[in-house]
Amino acid sequence: QVQLVESGGGLVQTGGSLRLSCAASGSIFSITTMDWYRQSPGKQREWVAVITSGARTNYADSVKGRFTISRDNAKNTVYLQMNSLKPEDTAVYYCHLSGMGLEYWGTGTQVSVSS
């Protein structure tokens, strides 16, 4: 069983920055793919960014150039650095782990961007 715990959310003004963290329990972190997703009220959950076990990354067009995903395998943690935040980035952000036929979700952290 793997548990994912997100942190780092909060309220920030337009143009501000936040860094989200997702700490994973267990020993399989280094061989898994980690994603960040987000969900705004009344909208479907949308994919934001991914980092593979080999540290290859990809981003949704809406965040490309503003967000950076990274991972520290020694700390079993994935990060999402969010810069130049916009009100439309307001959402609950979830981390997602997949690999070895398994997948797990965190419980989410709220990010609110005021205009």
Side-chain angles (χ1 to χ4, degrees):
Q1 188 75 8
V2 173
Q3 290 188 324
L4 302 175
V5 180
E6 300 98 335
S7 61
L11 175 63
V12 65
Q13 291 185 333
T14 296
S17 298
L18 286 173
R19 188 176 82 154
L20 305 183
S21 300
C22 173
S25 64
S27 59
I28 65 170
F29 180 81
S30 64
I31 58 173
T32 59
T33 293
M34 299 297 299
D35 299 85
W36 284 98
Y37 286 77
R38 65 186 182 186
Q39 188 167 19
S40 304
K43 294 186 177 181
Q44 289 188 333
R45 191 171 295 189
E46 66 170 341
W47 172 77
V48 174
V50 63
I51 185 165
T52 68
S53 58
R56 295 177 66 178
T57 61
N58 198 13
Y59 300 89
D61 287 343
S62 59
V63 307
K64 201 170 292 185
R66 300 187 298 123
F67 291 10
T68 303
I69 189 170
S70 61
R71 66 191 298 161
D72 184 337
N73 290 337
K75 295 182 178 179
N76 278 13
T77 301
V78 63
Y79 304 97
L80 187 68
Q81 177 67 44
M82 306 185 296
N83 299 327
S84 303
L85 282 162
K86 306 174 181 180
E88 51 264 44
D89 295 318
T90 294
V92 178
Y93 284 71
Y94 300 89
C95 65
H96 174 258
L97 178 152
S98 61
M100 300 181 65
L102 305 171
E103 65 170 334
Y104 297 93
W105 290 91
T107 56
T109 185
Q110 175 72 47
V111 171
S112 298
V113 184
S114 63
S115 56

